[in-house]
Amino acid sequence: MACSFLFLAFLMTATAACLSAAAATGKLVPPSETPSLSFEEGYTQLFGDSNLALHGGGKRVHISLDERTGAGFASQAAYLHGLFSARIKLPADHTAGVVVAFYMSNGDVYERTHDELDFEFLGNVRGREWRVQTNVYGNGSTAVGREERYGLWFDPTEDFHRYAIHWSRHRIIFYVDDTPIREVVRTEAMGAQYPSKPMSLYATIWDGSSWATSGGRYKVDYKYAPYVAEFADLELRGCAVGPATPCATPGTGSASDGDAYGHAATMSPARRSAMEAFRARYMTYGYCYDRLRYPAPLPECSIGAEAAAFLPSGDARAALHRHARRSRMRRGADSAV
């Protein structure tokens, strides 16, 4: 991903300062009192020149993909733990091959051992819904991969919806409209593959024709361009790296467990039930059930009776049945015409 030299230098300096301060004091910088910043206050453009446009006094950002380029931006600061969210509206119509990403990463600082937490939105052919993928990579573990994919209970192109990543020392939770859809609990077996280094927040739109839709079968069709993804209410509720007043003391279970960012360190029974219901209905792929890629499940995977709902490829049986049923319905409608 393209990135300016100045931004890279800033991020490396800030990260080094944070790690040095943390080592000396065992403490972190407090979360921002005003997390919803304008673009100029909290973010910097990465690439895309005029394909990034600001609206509403810099509170809304449009990034677009056309034949020339995609676009992207990142937070000016790196953060160690927090709650990071945005309301996002995705492009409509034929979006096969288009990828919109909202994610945390430190890949520009740690080239071989980077951490990453992703929402990846994968476009589709006309009449087919967007898919959502979440990724969790720690210490350069992309070759291992902890990917999951889902459908959604709404059309993400019709209105804005809130997507959030809650990252603490002990767990990672992905939210869609305040419904938790995935929880990753830190285990001893994960070791350094649990993301643990300061990361920046990114948003990008780009051409993923080689893989994003049906394994690359459907490419971006630029006659439908520009593809515009809209971002609003970007929030950075985290500990910005740097030597300053501490926001948590290790072992207290306060900010680093997440309650300083608006969500409790553990899920309520109601939220956990909502997450389980979402996953049972909308999860279309789970790495824990991919026996072709991982004959022995990764150590943090707890495989129960629900494994029967997944094929050896990790794909959900119900999702494939729904797809086959929709295909038959479309063929029937076409033949009737």
Side-chain angles (χ1 to χ4, degrees):
M1 180 182 296
C3 180
S4 71
F5 173 80
L6 289 177
F7 177 72
L8 175 58
F10 162 80
L11 192 55
M12 293 180 70
T13 302
T15 301
C18 174
L19 296 177
S20 176
T25 67
K27 299 175 180 179
L28 300 172
V29 181
S32 169
E33 296 297 323
T34 56
S36 185
L37 305 174
S38 69
F39 189 86
E40 291 82 359
E41 291 171 323
Y43 306 90
T44 186
Q45 183 171 356
L46 293 175
F47 66 102
D49 50 76
S50 60
N51 281 18
L52 185 150
L54 303 180
H55 300 268
K59 294 289 187 179
R60 298 195 311 277
V61 188
H62 290 187
I63 53 176
S64 61
L65 170 69
D66 57 28
E67 287 183 285
R68 296 182 309 111
T69 183
F73 62 92
S75 61
Q76 293 176 15
Y79 297 85
L80 185 58
H81 308 139
L83 179 69
F84 308 91
S85 69
R87 292 196 307 123
I88 304 172
K89 183 178 180 183
L90 298 175
D93 209 339
H94 182 99
T95 56
V98 177
V99 179
V100 176
F102 178 69
Y103 64 106
M104 308 289 298
S105 179
N106 48 33
D108 290 326
V109 178
Y110 302 97
E111 183 178 353
R112 297 178 182 272
T113 59
H114 87 286
D115 304 314
E116 193 169 318
L117 300 172
D118 299 337
F119 272 108
E120 286 184 330
F121 304 95
L122 310 179
N124 220 324
V125 297
R126 177 181 289 172
R128 295 276 299 280
E129 64 276 8
W130 282 77
R131 282 91 23 85
V132 181
Q133 178 165 305
T134 60
N135 307 322
V136 176
Y137 305 131
N139 206 39
S141 62
T142 54
V144 176
R146 290 177 167 86
E147 302 94 349
E148 291 185 353
R149 285 192 295 274
Y150 328 88
L152 293 168
W153 63 94
F154 53 81
D155 183 345
T157 71
E158 291 183 344
D159 204 351
F160 287 89
H161 293 269
R162 181 174 178 265
Y163 304 88
I165 300 170
H166 175 208
W167 169 43
S168 78
R169 286 188 304 156
H170 302 299
R171 70 191 66 239
I172 298 158
I173 306 175
F174 294 86
Y175 290 88
V176 176
D177 284 344
D178 292 325
T179 296
I181 66 167
R182 179 180 183 181
E183 179 186 36
V184 178
V185 177
R186 186 174 195 166
T187 65
E188 184 177 349
M190 289 183 72
Q193 292 186 4
Y194 184 91
S196 58
K197 298 184 290 290
M199 293 188 278
S200 296
L201 179 70
Y202 292 83
T204 58
I205 185 170
W206 49 284
D207 186 330
S209 291
S210 64
W211 66 276
T213 308
S214 298
R217 178 182 177 187
Y218 300 103
K219 317 295 185 184
V220 174
D221 188 341
Y222 284 104
K223 75 180 181 182
Y224 296 99
Y227 299 96
V228 181
E230 304 175 44
F231 290 76
D233 298 331
L234 286 149
E235 292 199 346
L236 301 167
R237 295 183 178 269
C239 296
V241 298
T245 307
C247 67
T249 300
T252 63
S254 55
S256 58
D257 279 338
D259 53 353
Y261 311 112
H263 288 274
T266 57
M267 253 189 258
S268 68
R271 283 191 177 233
R272 187 164 298 282
S273 294
M275 180 178 71
E276 291 171 354
F278 169 86
R279 293 173 67 81
R281 183 169 183 181
Y282 294 104
M283 187 169 168
T284 61
Y285 170 83
Y287 75 97
C288 281
Y289 308 107
D290 191 337
R291 295 186 291 281
L292 301 181
R293 189 176 181 184
Y294 308 111
L298 294 183
E300 73 273 8
C301 293
S302 178
I303 308 298
E306 79 284 355
F310 293 85
L311 296 169
S313 62
D315 295 303
R317 297 177 187 274
L320 295 179
H321 291 160
R322 286 194 297 269
H323 170 58
R325 185 166 60 251
R326 285 194 297 266
S327 297
R328 288 194 298 270
M329 291 174 65
R330 282 197 297 273
R331 286 198 300 269
D334 292 342
S335 62
V337 174

